[in-house]
Amino acid sequence: LYELALHQYNEAVHVSPAGPNSHVYYSNRAAAHCYLARYESASDDCRTSIALRPTYEKAHARLGLSLFFRGKYEEAIGAYE
């Protein structure tokens, strides 16, 4: 299920890497990475989402989660602030 989601978000990002909804694609792909325990990839996608739309709170929350699972607790706290 999450592999399929990754594939679909990969396609969306490929078609529209910096479009008006791309921040959502990156953040949702990060969520799929988290479910698959690919936390570094999730962190990377969250950071891209935040770069595209700094006010998108889901990306910040998902970044915090991915950093927590990577053992980067101080950075995780910072992502939530």
Side-chain angles (χ1 to χ4, degrees):
L1 180 64
Y2 295 107
E3 290 289 345
L4 176 60
L6 274 180
H7 174 73
Q8 291 174 334
Y9 287 119
N10 285 339
E11 290 295 317
V13 166
H14 177 73
V15 171
S16 181
N21 294 313
S22 296
H23 65 287
V24 175
Y25 305 150
Y26 283 104
S27 181
N28 288 351
R29 187 170 75 174
H33 280 302
C34 278
Y35 280 106
L36 295 168
R38 299 177 186 164
Y39 303 117
E40 188 169 350
S41 294
S43 295
D44 292 342
D45 276 349
C46 288
R47 287 187 176 104
T48 301
S49 178
I50 291 166
L52 290 169
R53 176 85 48 98
T55 59
Y56 190 55
E57 293 179 12
K58 276 189 180 181
H60 289 275
R62 289 174 175 157
L63 177 60
L65 180 69
S66 66
L67 291 169
F68 174 83
F69 283 118
R70 292 174 62 198
K72 298 186 174 205
Y73 305 117
E74 293 298 320
E75 288 182 55
I77 291 168
Y80 288 109
E81 294 179 335

